[in-house]
């Protein structure tokens, strides 16, 4: 019986670690910037997909906001022109894997292939700055963090995630209010706007920007966010 309890505790501990946004077993993980600077990074995952990418880029351009896009290699390969659009807008690109598979219990070669193929596509698009990595579904355990540490790649998660906190039918206003309420100095905000099911999250973007600007926050890319506290 005792053995079973210990095994159970080990598994729940590993499960907690695998989904933690603040801790991984190896290498550097960042979930926010300096708490002393009034800056915020908006991050958009899972694109670039047609229509949605163009819409969010227009919203960001209209309000002169720079953001960070964690792109999926497969999507990038399908729509390289959208990545070019993102870069033309002055935004930052990050790596969000090639196939968006959960990277738990995956072989080292699978992990390396997912990250390197996507990095290559990001470089081919003309992006020359440091490439950060965001694990699909935020999941990581042994092989992924070990690989990232060996390659000196920083994981970037988030500290505000309306998609997980709110119910699926939440309105754009509710989503924006949640983000405005939860955000603090140095926050990294996770937004999903690349799917039809997330149309309210997309519609919330201008409200989020307006609300946070009223609180005197400045919008920066992840790179600028991390540089601002140093
Ligand atoms: Zn994702």
């Amino acid at each position: 019986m005792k053995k079973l309890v210990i095994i159970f505790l080990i598994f729940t501990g590993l499960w907690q670690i695998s989904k933690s946004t603040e801790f991984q077993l190896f290498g550097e993980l960042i979930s926010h910037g300096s708490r002393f600077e009034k800056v915020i990074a908006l991050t958009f995952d899972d694109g670039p997909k047609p229509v949605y990418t163009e819409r969010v880029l227009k919203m960001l351009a209209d309000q002169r906001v720079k953001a960070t896009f964690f792109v999926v290699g497969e999507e990038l390969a399908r729509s390289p022109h959208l990545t070019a659009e993102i870069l033309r807008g002055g935004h930052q690109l990050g790596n969000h894997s090639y196939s968006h598979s959960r990277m738990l219990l995956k072989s080292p070669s699978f992990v390396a292939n997912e990250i390197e193929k996507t990095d290559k596509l990001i470089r081919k698009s003309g992006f020359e700055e440091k490439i950060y990595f965001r694990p699909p579904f935020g999941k990581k355990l042994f092989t992924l963090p070990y690989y990232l540490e060996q390659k000196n790649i920083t994981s970037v998660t988030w500290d505000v995630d309306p998609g997980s906190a709110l119910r699926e039918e939440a309105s754009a206003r509710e989503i924006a209010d949640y983000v405005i309420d939860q955000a603090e100095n140095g926050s990294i905000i996770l937004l999903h706007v690349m799917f039809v099911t997330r149309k309210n999250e997309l519609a919330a973007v201008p409200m989020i920007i307006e609300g946070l600007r009223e609180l005197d926050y400045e919008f920066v890319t992840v790179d600028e966010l991390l540089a601002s506290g140093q």
Side-chain angles (χ1 to χ4, degrees):
M1 191 60 199
K2 232 184 198 166
K3 251 188 206 158
L4 275 177
V5 172
I6 290 170
I7 290 170
F8 174 77
L9 288 176
I10 290 173
F11 274 100
T12 35
L14 289 175
W15 172 244
Q16 290 301 333
I17 289 173
S18 77
K19 62 180 188 141
S20 171
T21 54
E22 288 168 18
F23 175 79
Q24 68 185 14
L25 287 167
F26 312 99
E28 190 180 23
L29 179 145
I30 281 159
S31 60
H32 60 80
S34 162
R35 294 301 192 199
F36 300 100
E37 307 284 331
K38 264 196 117 44
V39 288
I40 279 186
L42 298 180
T43 64
F44 298 96
D45 280 15
D46 301 344
K49 293 205 185 207
V51 183
Y52 303 106
T53 304
E54 285 119 347
R55 280 190 196 156
V56 74
L57 285 174
K58 169 96 174 51
M59 290 170 173
L60 296 172
D62 285 349
Q63 292 181 293
R64 296 176 187 277
V65 166
K66 300 275 177 275
T68 303
F69 289 76
F70 284 93
V71 292
V72 173
E74 233 167 41
E75 302 290 345
L76 207 168
R78 227 172 270 151
S79 318
H81 63 288
L82 292 175
T83 314
E85 287 288 308
I86 293 172
L87 291 178
R88 246 197 303 279
H91 306 290
Q92 186 183 347
L93 290 178
N95 183 329
H96 193 38
S97 83
Y98 190 81
S99 65
H100 206 273
S101 312
R102 271 184 183 74
M103 291 222 217
L104 294 173
L105 312 173
K106 293 282 199 249
S107 70
S109 63
F110 179 90
V111 167
N113 193 39
E114 284 277 316
I115 295 173
E116 288 164 19
K117 248 161 88 179
T118 305
D119 266 0
K120 229 179 239 166
L121 288 169
I122 289 176
R123 288 293 179 229
K124 215 175 130 192
S125 73
F127 182 72
E128 288 171 348
E129 280 129 71
K130 182 171 170 172
I131 301 177
Y132 296 89
F133 182 72
R134 175 170 281 170
F137 307 100
K139 295 276 195 292
K140 68 255 157 308
L141 198 52
F142 299 115
T143 18
L144 174 60
Y146 185 74
Y147 170 87
L148 295 172
E149 186 184 44
Q150 298 302 306
K151 299 286 175 176
N152 208 8
I153 299 171
T154 304
S155 293
V156 173
T157 55
W158 54 84
D159 62 347
V160 181
D161 172 11
S164 300
L166 303 175
R167 59 191 210 294
E168 214 179 306
E169 323 74 69
S171 69
R173 188 67 260 168
E174 284 172 290
I175 294 167
D177 287 345
Y178 173 84
V179 171
I180 295 161
D181 183 57
Q182 295 293 311
E184 50 186 310
N185 290 351
S187 274
I188 298 176
I189 298 170
L190 169 63
L191 294 167
H192 289 93
V193 298
M194 300 286 173
F195 309 98
V196 65
T197 49
R198 301 293 192 115
K199 62 178 192 311
N200 290 352
E201 217 161 308
L202 178 64
V205 170
M207 301 179 204
I208 292 171
I209 294 170
E210 274 163 35
L212 290 174
R213 273 215 172 122
E214 267 170 37
L215 298 172
D216 289 330
Y217 287 107
E218 188 194 331
F219 293 95
V220 294
T221 62
V222 163
D223 218 19
E224 292 165 338
L225 184 91
L226 299 181
S228 76
Q230 286 162 4

